[in-house]
Amino acid sequence: MGPRAASLRHLMRSTPVRQALALVAVVALANLLSLGGAYLTLRADLARSIRADLDAELASFDLSATPAALSAIVRARARAADPAKTVTVFLAADGRQVGNARATLDGGDIHLSPGDQPLGAAGYLHEVRPLSGGLLIVAESLAPIAELRRTFLSLLAFSLGPTVLISLGVGVLIARRTARRVDGIEETLDRLSAGDLSARLPPDPLPADDLSRIGAGVNRLAARQEAATEALRQVTADIAHDLRTPLQRISVLIQDLRARLPDEGDPAELADRASAEVDRAVSVFRAMLEIAQIEGGQASARFQPFDLGLTVRQVVELYQPSVEDAGHRLSLSCPETGPTVRGEPSLIAQALANLVENALRHTSEGSRIDIAVTADPPGLIVADDGPGVPEGERDKVLRRLYRLERSRTTPGHGLGLSLVAAIASLHGARLTLEDNAPGLRVRLAFPQAGGRVTGNSTPAQ
């Protein structure tokens, strides 16, 4: 199906177009009923008029005329009449007949056939009366009724046709404009759902209507959501920034204290534990600041086309020794070149590093970590054969600082995958979680060249 056909199909499925078609159908039905009622009324009047003419014609014949005299009268009238309009035939008792047509009796039916002149093609309405020992047949052509039917069909074509076409054309034009406005609202909602809180509907130049009010409501909701999100992001960044320096000072003080303590004993062990907790807190705030900076979008100014496969191979080469030392197996499936995506290579490398570290942290020794780069569509997949993530938790695990209950005893702070989600959102990529049966499969789907991947992200572990 071509783009034009797809666009037409989408237009025909829209509510405005269906409403326009329904309105046109109502107008057409009203015109059809009014014209049909008028036609049936006039046709009945015309049939009654023809029947009255037949009765008058029969009444004009002399009831006491002999067969010979009646034959002479019929012959005279038939000679003066056009059989295409009026037929007069007398069937005598001896089988002879006179008139301007031929009549045949078939049971109780009368069949007329042409004599010296052709008959009318519209048919006849006839009356039969026994007279002078025979049958007198008088018939009037139904041509006036046929002409009336042609007239009304022409009237229907010249009145209903343009009315339907004009109504349909105007309705479709209005519906197309409405459909474009509805598409604009849907597109804006899709962008907002995908995380682009700056999406807005353009102001409507026409007077306010239902769609204008809906659009204004969407803009107000988006503005409030953007302001609230930005305020939360700014507060998070401010807290992380303001607390990082005191924590670093505490870390220096603890290290200084540890240097003055003996190597063995409870005070030294306590100092070591305090230093580790401070380092963990510093890493949390550093990660929160990094997420805030990525979500701020400053890195998008450095976007450029780059080879995704090359970046992934570099990260895998960097992690290969440490993964093997940890007793895990790391594999890579990647094309020789490409695919080419647009973004910041260092951020994509960081996202992959976080996914690998997440898999190392949550899988047992001897587990596999499989990395794959896909070309069509361009994407990155990191899969492991560990415990995976329960389906009911997949809408939560990308929240900042959220950790699965079983993961609370493992190292980490619950921000690694939040950072991956932020990087994916910045690049317009879709992040999804899938069951690797067993284990977890994390998929990053990047936009096609010049496009954008739309749809909601499914949180990952």
Side-chain angles (χ1 to χ4, degrees):
M1 181 182 295
R4 185 182 297 274
S7 176
L8 180 60
R9 185 176 180 182
H10 175 70
L11 180 65
M12 294 304 294
R13 287 183 174 180
S14 65
T15 299
V17 170
R18 292 181 177 180
Q19 291 176 342
L21 292 176
L23 181 61
V24 169
V26 170
V27 171
L29 181 61
N31 284 345
L32 187 62
L33 291 176
S34 61
L35 287 176
Y39 167 72
L40 293 177
T41 301
L42 291 177
R43 185 181 184 278
D45 292 341
L46 192 54
R48 283 193 295 270
S49 176
I50 294 175
R51 180 72 64 181
D53 291 342
L54 287 174
D55 292 340
E57 181 70 15
L58 286 173
S60 67
F61 284 92
D62 186 1
L63 299 179
S64 62
T66 63
L70 185 58
S71 296
I73 294 173
V74 169
R75 186 179 292 108
R77 291 193 179 186
R79 189 180 299 114
D82 182 3
K85 297 180 180 179
T86 304
V87 170
T88 306
V89 178
F90 175 63
L91 295 176
D94 57 4
R96 291 179 298 173
Q97 60 176 287
V98 295
N100 55 1
R102 303 294 297 174
T104 305
L105 292 176
D106 184 9
D109 295 332
I110 300 292
H111 297 284
L112 298 176
S113 58
D116 296 334
Q117 293 179 287
L119 298 179
Y124 292 85
L125 183 64
H126 64 270
E127 288 287 348
V128 180
R129 179 175 296 179
L131 197 63
S132 301
L135 291 177
L136 179 63
I137 302 169
V138 178
E140 287 286 336
S141 173
L142 295 177
I145 294 180
E147 183 63 28
L148 177 66
R149 182 170 60 252
R150 287 192 294 270
T151 300
F152 266 85
L153 288 176
S154 300
L155 183 62
L156 184 66
F158 286 106
S159 63
L160 184 59
T163 299
V164 170
L165 290 178
I166 292 174
S167 301
L168 184 60
V170 174
V172 169
L173 288 177
I174 296 175
R176 288 186 64 181
R177 180 184 177 277
T178 304
R180 284 196 295 267
R181 296 171 68 191
V182 172
D183 289 343
I185 294 175
E186 290 180 345
E187 181 182 355
T188 301
L189 291 175
D190 287 341
R191 291 174 58 192
L192 291 172
S193 299
D196 183 7
L197 298 182
S198 64
R200 297 290 187 277
L201 284 166
D204 200 328
L206 297 180
D209 58 6
D210 293 344
L211 292 180
S212 298
R213 291 194 294 272
I214 292 174
V218 170
N219 286 345
R220 289 194 299 270
L221 178 63
R224 287 196 293 268
Q225 185 70 21
E226 184 180 25
T229 303
E230 184 59 34
L232 179 61
R233 183 181 300 158
Q234 187 61 43
V235 168
T236 302
D238 290 344
I239 292 175
H241 184 273
D242 291 343
L243 291 181
R244 185 174 61 175
T245 300
L247 286 172
Q248 289 174 338
R249 291 174 180 170
I250 293 174
S251 178
V252 171
L253 292 174
I254 292 177
Q255 291 175 3
D256 184 43
L257 175 62
R258 177 66 181 86
R260 300 181 184 185
L261 293 174
D263 293 337
E264 303 293 338
D266 292 340
E269 181 182 354
L270 186 61
D272 290 337
R273 290 171 56 191
S275 179
E277 290 297 327
V278 171
D279 290 342
R280 180 177 179 274
V282 170
S283 67
V284 169
F285 287 117
R286 184 183 298 114
M288 292 177 65
L289 277 176
E290 194 169 6
I291 292 174
Q293 292 170 356
I294 292 173
E295 290 178 339
Q298 293 89 348
S300 60
R302 304 191 303 270
F303 277 14
Q304 60 182 347
F306 70 95
D307 189 325
L308 177 63
L310 177 61
T311 299
V312 171
R313 285 194 296 272
Q314 291 173 346
V315 174
V316 170
E317 290 174 2
L318 179 65
Y319 271 87
Q320 188 78 48
S322 59
V323 170
E324 293 178 353
D325 291 343
H328 291 71
R329 291 170 293 169
L330 181 63
S331 67
L332 172 64
S333 173
C334 180
E336 291 294 330
T337 58
T340 299
V341 297
R342 182 173 177 81
E344 172 56 52
S346 62
L347 290 178
I348 299 301
Q350 184 175 2
L352 176 57
N354 280 20
L355 292 176
V356 172
E357 291 176 1
N358 186 74
L360 288 173
R361 187 179 300 116
H362 296 286
T363 58
S364 59
E365 184 177 352
S367 299
R368 289 182 56 87
I369 301 175
D370 299 319
I371 301 175
V373 176
T374 60
D376 188 18
L380 172 62
I381 301 172
V382 178
D384 61 61
D385 56 0
V389 175
E391 186 174 356
E393 298 285 339
R394 293 177 188 174
D395 59 343
K396 303 174 183 178
V397 289
L398 280 187
R399 297 177 186 174
R400 298 177 190 180
L401 304 177
Y402 183 86
R403 305 187 72 191
L404 294 174
E405 189 63 32
R406 66 167 182 263
S407 302
R408 297 189 180 277
T409 57
T410 60
H413 41 61
L415 288 172
L417 289 170
S418 298
L419 183 61
V420 174
I423 293 173
S425 178
L426 180 67
H427 287 77
R430 184 171 65 243
L431 176 63
T432 57
L433 273 186
E434 301 169 0
D435 186 4
N436 198 41
L440 175 68
R441 182 187 300 118
V442 182
R443 186 187 301 271
L444 269 173
F446 291 89
Q448 295 282 2
R452 178 179 178 86
V453 173
T454 59
N456 296 332
S457 295
T458 301
Q461 175 176 276

